[in-house]
Amino acid sequence: MPNTHYFTPGPAALYPTYAQHLQEALHLQIGSISHRSRFFSEIYEQTYRALQQLLGFDDEVAVLFVGSATEVWERSIQNGVDSRSAHLVNGAFSEKFYQFAKLLQKDAIAHTVAEGKGFVAEEVLQTFQEAHKIKPIDFLAFTHNETATGVSTPSETIERIADAFPDAIRVVDMVSSAPYPHIDFRKVESAFFSVQKAFGMPAGLGVWLVNHKFLKKSEALAQKGAITGTYHRLSELWKHFEQFQTPATPPVLPIYLLGKIAEDLNQIGIEQVRKLTDQKAQLLYEAIGKSKSLEIAVAEPAHRSATVVVANTQKEASALIEQIKNDLNMEIGAGYGKAKNTQIRIANFPAVDFSATQQLADYLAQC
Ligand SMILES: *Cc1c(COP(=O)(O)O)cnc(C)c1O
């Protein structure tokens, strides 16, 4: 159905200027240019600078392009874990990050809380510090926004835990929230996202932010004989990044488009992007609070995600999703995994229109 408003948490609504930038990219024949050309390096650098302004990191941080965020789970573990990784797990996505470490035969531990719950820094620190005494933790895996449950971990919580492990490689999955969270890149070594969530683009690009400390760790691991990957091992990606190049043929088109959308977001300003996100989230949460048949899934207000709003449904979620499609021409997300028919998930990414959100909220309040 044309002109459907997508409120799905990935793939998601395309950013409003996407089509226009795509037209321009075709005009520039970006699909055919050599990735070894000067033109490509300029595109890479432009995207780098736009993301730098948007996300607020300095020149010590590299931006590396890989296939997906899922790939970054694997690459970051391969390149960052020597002794032991520690994971904050509260849903399907953070759980997968943890399972990847085990699949790669790393010694991995988790502090796990129930789905729908968030983390208390003191409790996480207790688990990790006990474990650390027995065998050092040298890698910390945070998921800023657990997309399966709509639980967010505030930056302050991430920083408190990260600060207790200054020597570790501290990594933040910000896939379904970037650019919303304020991540202090002096306190973590890495963060990553993919473009089909909050950047409003089609899937196909993973974006991996990494600092020098992570690079050095990767090099030390390789020297010890650890497998850190082949073409996408950190040292290889970094070496090419220094020339704004990539080890293999990159997806030039989405790298270009990401830069353009980041520039558009910079035009609005990150503070305004955050403010609008908060305002739309508030509309949705208030509406769900008013509804007779819906309930906010995350009980603790401080842990509620601003970018993926989740509600428990009394009726079959699929019926409500169908009804919203028919009545409003809007597509909202089903619950994740086993919550498929008992929850709905509503993406509140920058591409999601304010008045459409208002309309959806008014509708939900009557449900
Ligand atoms: C979607 C998602 C991923 C995986 O992203 P892909 O682009 O599918 O690899 C990882 N982490 C979180 C939190 C996600 O929402």
Side-chain angles (χ1 to χ4, degrees):
M1 214 191 308
N3 296 323
T4 303
H5 277 287
Y6 279 91
F7 285 88
T8 42
L14 293 183
Y15 197 74
T17 56
Y18 180 82
Q20 168 197 324
H21 293 312
L22 182 59
Q23 280 297 326
E24 178 64 12
L26 294 172
H27 174 70
L28 294 170
Q29 296 186 287
I30 275 173
S32 304
I33 65 165
S34 164
H35 60 293
R36 298 295 173 221
S37 66
R38 176 86 192 267
F39 188 14
F40 172 69
S41 293
E42 284 167 7
I43 290 170
Y44 193 152
E45 184 168 8
Q46 203 171 11
T47 300
Y48 177 78
R49 293 293 166 211
L51 288 174
Q52 184 173 48
Q53 186 184 339
L54 187 66
L55 301 174
F57 53 84
D58 62 25
D59 283 348
E60 293 299 297
V61 174
V63 172
L64 311 173
F65 295 115
V66 295
S68 63
T70 301
E71 183 183 345
V72 181
W73 285 336
E74 178 170 311
R75 299 286 166 248
S76 58
I77 291 160
Q78 285 177 320
N79 287 273
V81 185
D82 185 8
S83 172
R84 167 180 255 188
S85 66
H87 303 253
L88 287 82
V89 175
N90 62 343
F93 289 91
S94 44
E95 172 70 24
K96 266 197 200 168
F97 199 172
Y98 171 47
Q99 291 304 329
F100 272 33
K102 291 189 180 178
L103 283 168
L104 290 166
Q105 300 182 350
K106 302 294 182 183
D107 183 349
I109 59 161
H111 178 89
T112 305
V113 298
E115 294 192 358
K117 293 275 193 294
F119 299 104
V120 178
E122 290 71 28
E123 292 174 6
V124 178
L125 283 172
Q126 201 180 353
T127 308
F128 288 176
Q129 279 165 341
E130 283 297 314
H132 187 71
K133 278 184 218 150
I134 298 160
K135 186 176 176 186
I137 288 167
D138 65 345
F139 185 97
L140 281 177
F142 299 95
T143 302
H144 173 263
N145 198 64
E146 176 47 77
T147 321
T149 61
V151 175
S152 216
T153 303
S155 308
E156 303 77 59
T157 306
I158 293 176
E159 284 173 17
R160 273 218 46 204
I161 299 164
D163 280 347
F165 294 90
D167 298 328
I169 300 299
R170 298 155 297 181
V171 175
V172 183
D173 174 333
M174 56 192 307
V175 178
S176 58
S177 51
Y180 176 83
H182 186 277
I183 302 290
D184 185 343
F185 288 92
R186 292 162 306 184
K187 291 176 184 266
V188 299
E189 279 58 50
S190 181
F192 61 93
F193 60 89
S194 44
V195 296
Q196 79 278 17
K197 310 240 169 137
F199 280 89
M201 290 172 53
L205 184 67
V207 184
W208 188 16
L209 279 59
V210 180
N211 73 4
H212 272 100
K213 181 175 136 191
F214 199 164
L215 174 66
K216 289 213 181 75
K217 175 76 174 280
S218 167
E219 287 169 347
L221 270 165
Q223 233 157 39
K224 283 173 71 171
I227 293 170
T228 55
T230 56
Y231 71 120
H232 275 176
R233 66 186 182 279
L234 186 44
S235 57
E236 196 64 16
L237 284 160
W238 192 295
K239 189 178 83 190
H240 285 84
F241 160 73
E242 286 179 336
Q243 316 295 326
F244 291 113
Q245 286 279 314
T246 56
T249 318
V252 182
L253 183 62
I255 291 170
Y256 167 85
L257 294 167
L258 174 62
K260 291 293 155 192
I261 289 172
E263 282 172 9
D264 291 341
L265 290 165
N266 284 328
Q267 282 292 319
I268 299 168
I270 187 64
E271 284 313 322
Q272 181 67 6
V273 170
R274 288 183 182 129
K275 206 168 112 190
L276 287 168
T277 303
D278 288 335
Q279 287 171 352
K280 289 184 296 169
Q282 197 183 342
L283 286 177
L284 291 166
Y285 281 118
E286 273 175 11
I288 294 164
K290 277 187 205 150
S291 156
K292 289 196 186 71
S293 70
L294 298 172
E295 176 191 42
I296 296 171
V298 181
E300 171 57 49
H303 294 158
R304 284 175 195 159
S305 167
T307 53
V308 181
V309 174
V310 181
N312 300 324
T313 60
Q314 242 167 42
K315 298 178 283 188
E316 302 263 290
S318 57
L320 178 61
I321 293 167
E322 197 57 31
Q323 190 186 319
I324 289 173
K325 205 179 293 180
N326 292 334
D327 291 351
L328 303 176
N329 196 12
M330 290 180 182
E331 180 101 19
I332 63 167
Y336 191 89
K338 61 183 189 303
K340 187 173 169 60
N341 225 359
T342 57
Q343 289 188 330
I344 51 168
R345 291 181 303 152
I346 302 168
N348 176 31
F349 298 148
V352 170
D353 182 64
F354 204 100
S355 65
T357 307
Q358 179 78 67
Q359 205 190 341
L360 176 61
D362 291 346
Y363 189 92
L364 292 174
Q366 303 302 320
C367 282

